[in-house]
Amino acid sequence: MKNKKYCQVMVPVLVVSMFLGGCNNSAKEYEKAMEKAKQNVKSEDYVNALENFDSALKYKEGDKEAENLREQVSLLLDAQAAKDGNDYSSQMENLDKIDSIKTDSSVVKDKADEYKSKAEEFTRDETIEIAETKAGIDKSDKSENHPYVTVAEEPCYDNGKKAYWATYWEYNDDWWIHQGFYVYADETK
């Protein structure tokens, strides 16, 4: 009789403790996956970061922090692809979207800000100065058909290096001739 009462009490206690132990293990696995993903972001290993955020979501389905960080990393990859595809505007759009997604951790936003500041280092105004100097433009020449340089509004990437497209214009007797060239922070070609 005493044994039966003992079993009636102990079996439910064991079942509950096993269930709670499993939940605790899930919480630990979730935290471990989240920490790995954040480390992946810091080391710029974004594909593994996505995989680790997916793992975290398996342990804690519907977790907003993991979902939002995963979305930010996905946008970071899109920004990287835009840069590789010489598309400055798309790169900046994707980096801006990252800032609009709310997360407790700033690990992805910090990377996005780092990329953004690097992309914005070389400005259009600096490009105009470099292009005019390289083309030998005399800024004091106010004649009607004096040579001049135009520079694109948006930069681009040429083999992964930020550049602006510039065009040198010169009047030659009856028509304008022009020549285009890339202007980089450290060279023109």
Side-chain angles (χ1 to χ4, degrees):
M1 187 69 134
K2 195 174 185 180
N3 232 358
K4 190 176 181 184
K5 210 174 197 176
Y6 177 77
C7 285
Q8 286 177 338
V9 172
M10 287 310 291
V11 168
V13 169
L14 286 172
V15 169
V16 168
S17 67
M18 285 180 4
F19 176 74
L20 290 176
C23 288
N24 191 25
N25 192 34
S26 288
K28 286 180 185 175
E29 292 298 322
Y30 164 82
E31 288 299 328
K32 190 190 292 185
M34 288 293 284
E35 195 52 42
K36 277 185 184 177
K38 290 173 187 177
Q39 287 302 319
N40 292 138
V41 171
K42 288 177 184 174
S43 64
E44 300 180 3
D45 184 1
Y46 303 123
V47 173
N48 281 327
L50 289 175
E51 290 173 6
N52 282 307
F53 284 128
D54 287 341
S55 291
L57 286 165
K58 287 178 186 170
Y59 293 109
K60 197 171 179 181
E61 201 172 308
D63 180 65
K64 276 296 184 198
E65 181 73 1
E67 287 176 350
N68 288 348
L69 286 168
R70 188 193 189 294
E71 185 178 351
Q72 287 178 332
V73 170
S74 183
L75 287 166
L76 207 52
L77 282 169
D78 291 346
Q80 214 172 33
K83 179 184 179 195
D84 293 343
N86 299 330
D87 188 350
Y88 177 83
S89 296
S90 292
Q91 178 194 21
M92 297 309 282
E93 268 178 41
N94 285 309
L95 293 173
D96 286 339
K97 285 178 188 175
I98 290 170
D99 279 336
S100 68
I101 299 170
K102 294 200 183 287
T103 56
D104 293 334
S105 172
S106 66
V107 68
V108 182
K109 287 182 182 182
D110 292 345
K111 275 294 175 193
D113 290 343
E114 182 183 317
Y115 292 157
K116 210 171 174 181
S117 72
K118 189 171 184 172
E120 293 173 338
E121 279 177 358
F122 177 48
T123 67
R124 184 172 182 267
D125 291 337
E126 292 169 316
T127 303
I128 292 169
E129 285 295 319
I130 293 169
E132 288 178 341
T133 301
K134 182 70 176 175
I137 301 295
D138 178 5
K139 292 181 185 181
S140 65
D141 184 355
K142 302 297 181 202
S143 64
E144 183 179 348
N145 294 326
H146 67 87
Y148 65 95
V149 172
T150 58
V151 174
E153 292 291 324
E154 288 286 323
C156 61
Y157 287 99
D158 180 39
N159 295 319
K161 193 172 177 184
K162 184 177 176 184
Y164 284 86
W165 182 253
T167 305
Y168 171 76
W169 298 86
E170 184 177 323
Y171 193 74
N172 189 357
D173 296 327
D174 295 326
W175 60 85
W176 285 93
I177 58 172
H178 64 283
Q179 179 180 358
F181 57 99
Y182 283 112
V183 180
Y184 306 91
D186 57 352
E187 68 175 320
T188 58
K189 69 174 185 175

